[in-house]
Amino acid sequence: MKALFIGGTGTISSAITKQLSETGWELYLLNRGTRNESLPANVTIIQADINDEDRVAKLIANLEFDVVADFIAFEPAQLERDYRLFQGKTKQFMFISSASAYQTPLSDYRITEGTPLSNPYWAYSRNKIACEDYLIKQYRDNGFPITIVRPSHTYGERSIPLGVHGSKGSWQVAKRMLENKPVIIHGDGTSLWTMTHNSDFAKGFIGLMGNLHAIGESIHITSDETVAWNQIYEAIASALGVKLHAVHVSSEFLAACSKEDYRGGLLGDKANSVVFDNAKLKRLVPEFVATTRFDQGIKQTVEYLLNHPELQTEDEEFDLWCDKVIHALNTALKTITE
């Protein structure tokens, strides 16, 4: 069996690449080669920018695949390009969409693949929905063999998964914890969330590869574990070996006073309680089970980050913003209570 991954080195795709390389699959990665240094030795690299359609077409002219998966498509035009490149050259085309495409706010906290797709808060999610619509049309009209996969909040060893962080990543929040500084949690911290370790996601994804029952289907892949945001931050602090000093701030307030896209990322995603029903995935991949509990997985992430200083990117602007938000809340409280 032969597969081509467009990308292959991100948080989700790197875990799939690693696990797939240990099987009998023949794996090709098409990317620009900027993060290929740690790839398994038996992976074949096609070094190119997928946006250079003419060059890619020449490089794959004599190749056909059982599976092509695009991990870095975010807009319909990119899927139109993929259709031109891979129609007739693959038995299955897998598109990585997003669980944030599901209806926001939800009419039912339990999410199945039948939950409507609608997100008025986040352009990212609306673009993913448009991508799905395009692929479904190609499947219906032209028999393009698609499988749509919807990840939720998937994490690995290189970054701590959080609700609120700055543009330079999540390390600054960990640094605040280590320095005994207060940390912002959106809302009251009791909304429900699902964290999925990338090694668990990879198991489900590989089970869908070459799976004839997955053709024409949309499937989300998540853990069955549900945790509240307060539990998430407590687990991170515990992994760091410190006490958590939490400050709860309204998601609407955070979205209003930040330069970051908290309207999309919070109001359109993380501020809402979600519980995923993975029955469809387990029907298609009977052996699937997510085995990495969040408090276990986050210990691995924190240990890796503490041992790799090059990943500890500081964000002074975000740090100052946190202090300003907390100071504003304390000032308002003092004004009201005096």
Side-chain angles (χ1 to χ4, degrees), residues 226-287:
T226 301
V227 285
W229 280 104
N230 286 331
Q231 292 175 306
I232 291 169
Y233 278 78
E234 286 285 2
I236 295 168
S238 176
L240 289 166
V242 298
K243 179 178 175 57
L244 175 66
H245 300 284
V247 176
H248 295 94
V249 184
S250 159
S251 298
E252 289 81 1
F253 184 82
L254 292 172
C257 67
S258 173
K259 296 178 182 178
E260 306 295 334
D261 184 18
Y262 289 150
R263 175 175 168 79
L266 283 181
L267 302 184
D269 196 27
K270 299 178 183 67
N272 303 284
S273 285
V274 294
V275 177
F276 292 93
D277 181 340
N278 285 297
K280 184 174 183 179
L281 173 63
K282 292 174 182 179
R283 185 171 68 251
L284 295 172
V285 187
E287 69 275 17

Side-chain angles (χ1 to χ4, degrees), residues 4-7 50 68-74 78-79 81-82 86 93-97 128 205:
L4 171 68
F5 287 175
I6 303 169
I50 185 61
V68 172
D70 192 337
F71 293 89
I72 54 174
F74 304 97
Q78 296 168 321
L79 274 304
R81 172 207 63 208
D82 288 353
F86 299 111
F93 180 85
M94 303 182 74
F95 167 59
I96 289 66
S97 184
K128 288 288 190 179
F205 190 90

Side-chain angles (χ1 to χ4, degrees), residues 150-169:
R150 298 176 185 139
S152 185
H153 203 156
T154 307
Y155 70 102
E157 61 187 11
R158 298 176 63 88
S159 180
I160 296 171
L162 290 165
V164 179
H165 61 77
S167 60
K168 296 183 180 180

Side-chain angles (χ1 to χ4, degrees), residues 101-104 106-107 112-118 129:
Y102 287 120
Q103 182 183 54
T104 304
L106 288 164
S107 56
T112 73
E113 285 80 2
T115 299
L117 304 184
S118 174
I129 294 170

Side-chain angles (χ1 to χ4, degrees), residues 295-309:
D295 62 320
Q296 300 169 334
I298 199 61
K299 286 180 181 178
Q300 299 171 20
T301 300
V302 166
E303 181 180 2
Y304 187 88
L305 288 173
L306 292 177
N307 289 324
H308 289 79

